[in-house]
Amino acid sequence: MSKNKQPSVPLVRSGRESSKVKKGKKSKPKIHNNLVKEYLKRPEIFADFVSGIFNDKMIITPDMLSDADTTYEMNDEIVEGNTRICITKELIRDVAKNVTDKNGNQCLVCIEDQSRYDKNMPIRVSMYDSLSLNSLASKKFIPTLTLVCNWDKKPFPNPTTLSSLVNSPFLKVFGEYMLKLLLAVFNVVEYIYSQEKYSFRTELRTVFAYVSGALNKLTMEEIIEKCPWIVGEKVSKQGARIVFQYMHIDIEVEKLDEEENDMVSIYQQKINEEKEKSRIDNTYELALSLSKLYNRTFESMLDDFKTTPEVRKICMERYSKVVG
């Protein structure tokens, strides 16, 4: 056998391995990514996001969109002893839509949601694109555009072109021919505080402001102080659900209006309800403990507290359930 020739080893195919799960570690659910991904998948939101980033130079409407496959398979081989193992990994894009205009021109537009700085984002996107092209090898080529929605406080620091990744010297003329890794990066925080670079027609601006504020642990009052324009702005039921989940506020979403919800008013109403509930709880607990301490009736203690008829009724109903 030649010294350079490697001995042949049998091929064994293993099961699938998710690219987003590290062995030996339990992955935490990505609440942010899941919420935002589902939101950006809405045709009207997706179309507005893309059109806004391009400043209407490329206007996309919901009727131009169709769902695209977001899962790609990548085969990798390792050799263990005399066995060659083939591992199939799945790489999953966050959001992807096929876009077809009135002339039949097509492209694949993708959005990658980044809640915190990820240094590997450009490489990951280029990997998605290469797998996408590979899957189209026997089909018609469709151009692919990838946008990154960056929620981190700092602007996206990654290189966005292939040439900027190269550390060694190269002829400058090569730079203009090297492919871009990312078409565009949308910095949410920067947008919210400037609002001059992009223009969105839907509720995106308002929802982004609330979510960004919640991610940075701002209270509703602090969000309003930084973004006073959100007062009176209405959002859809789905937008409201996302906002209140980020702000950890328990709201009965089903009771909300489908498209016209004032977040500030709903929030204030909920806070007032919580304060009232807390006040009633305190009154009930205090009346109950003092009635036992002084051997008096629960009702007479409520008389001493001069409670309102509404509070008195709630406390008495609760007391009746306890004593039977």
Side-chain angles (χ1 to χ4, degrees):
M1 181 182 293
S2 169
K3 291 182 179 180
N4 296 325
K5 187 174 181 180
Q6 297 293 326
S8 61
V9 292
L11 173 65
V12 177
R13 291 191 173 274
S14 74
R16 295 187 185 279
E17 179 182 285
S18 172
S19 64
K20 295 189 180 237
V21 179
K22 294 182 179 179
K23 291 183 177 179
K25 293 183 179 180
K26 290 185 178 180
S27 61
K28 295 181 180 179
K30 296 185 177 180
I31 298 175
H32 166 78
N33 297 81
N34 292 336
L35 285 172
V36 174
K37 278 193 295 185
E38 290 306 310
Y39 184 67
L40 290 173
K41 285 178 183 177
R42 292 174 59 183
E44 68 275 17
I45 298 299
F46 183 95
D48 190 36
F49 181 79
V50 178
S51 300
I53 286 181
F54 285 100
N55 287 311
D56 292 339
K57 292 178 181 177
M58 179 175 71
I59 297 179
I60 292 177
T61 55
D63 59 289
M64 296 166 61
L65 304 176
S66 61
D67 291 333
D69 187 8
T70 58
T71 304
Y72 305 107
E73 292 185 359
M74 183 175 70
N75 295 321
D76 194 12
E77 293 183 5
I78 60 173
V79 176
E80 293 184 357
N82 293 324
T83 304
R84 184 161 52 95
I85 302 175
C86 179
I87 299 176
T88 300
K89 297 181 180 180
E90 284 187 347
L91 297 177
I92 306 173
R93 289 188 188 271
D94 287 343
V95 185
K97 298 281 187 183
N98 290 314
V99 181
T100 307
D101 68 11
K102 62 181 180 181
N103 297 318
N105 298 313
Q106 293 182 319
C107 66
L108 176 67
V109 179
C110 310
I111 303 173
E112 288 301 313
D113 182 78
Q114 179 177 266
S115 55
R116 288 292 180 263
Y117 169 56
D118 178 6
K119 65 179 181 180
N120 295 319
M121 179 63 76
I123 302 300
R124 195 161 80 241
V125 168
S126 64
M127 193 177 296
Y128 292 152
D129 291 346
S130 64
L131 290 172
S132 176
L133 291 174
N134 186 59
S135 67
L136 294 170
S138 59
K139 306 175 185 177
K140 180 183 176 182
F141 171 73
I142 300 177
T144 301
L145 311 176
T146 300
L147 312 174
V148 173
C149 185
N150 174 48
W151 292 85
D152 206 304
K153 285 183 180 179
K154 56 186 175 184
F156 193 75
N158 288 113
T160 57
T161 63
L162 196 58
S163 59
S164 58
L165 280 178
V166 180
N167 294 322
S168 58
F170 63 93
L171 293 174
K172 288 185 178 181
V173 69
F174 283 5
E176 62 183 282
Y177 295 104
M178 285 186 168
L179 296 175
K180 289 182 70 68
L181 291 172
L182 302 170
L183 181 70
V185 176
F186 175 70
N187 293 303
V188 179
V189 176
E190 180 184 309
Y191 159 70
I192 290 171
Y193 299 132
S194 66
Q195 280 118 48
E196 293 183 1
K197 191 174 181 181
Y198 308 106
S199 59
F200 298 122
R201 294 179 172 84
T202 65
E203 63 186 26
L204 265 176
R205 176 189 180 194
T206 304
V207 172
F208 278 173
Y210 282 119
V211 174
S212 176
L215 280 175
N216 290 297
K217 299 180 180 179
L218 300 182
T219 64
M220 175 64 85
E221 291 72 20
E222 289 172 327
I223 294 174
I224 294 174
E225 183 181 350
K226 288 181 175 293
C227 308
W229 49 266
I230 65 174
V231 177
E233 290 289 325
K234 307 292 196 304
V235 302
S236 66
K237 179 186 288 188
Q238 188 173 2
R241 180 176 67 87
I242 291 175
V243 169
F244 287 130
Q245 280 188 273
Y246 274 95
M247 300 188 76
H248 305 292
I249 298 173
D250 185 18
I251 294 288
E252 293 184 62
V253 179
E254 294 309 313
K255 293 184 178 181
L256 297 177
D257 187 274
E258 284 296 329
E259 298 298 335
E260 296 286 325
N261 298 286
D262 186 329
M263 296 288 91
V264 176
S265 297
I266 295 173
Y267 170 83
Q268 193 57 57
Q269 181 181 346
K270 183 65 178 179
I271 293 300
N272 291 337
E273 289 174 0
E274 291 296 326
K275 287 180 179 178
E276 179 66 12
K277 181 179 180 300
S278 177
R279 189 169 68 85
I280 293 172
D281 289 343
N282 291 336
T283 300
Y284 175 82
E285 294 296 337
L286 185 59
L288 185 62
S289 60
L290 290 178
S291 66
K292 292 178 180 178
L293 180 63
Y294 295 109
N295 194 27
R296 291 176 55 184
T297 64
F298 178 76
E299 191 171 3
S300 68
M301 292 308 306
L302 292 179
D303 290 337
D304 288 354
F305 292 162
K306 297 180 180 180
T307 56
T308 64
E310 294 79 9
V311 172
R312 183 186 182 87
K313 179 181 178 182
I314 294 172
C315 288
M316 286 303 299
E317 287 176 349
R318 189 182 300 181
Y319 180 74
S320 300
K321 291 179 181 179
V322 173
V323 298

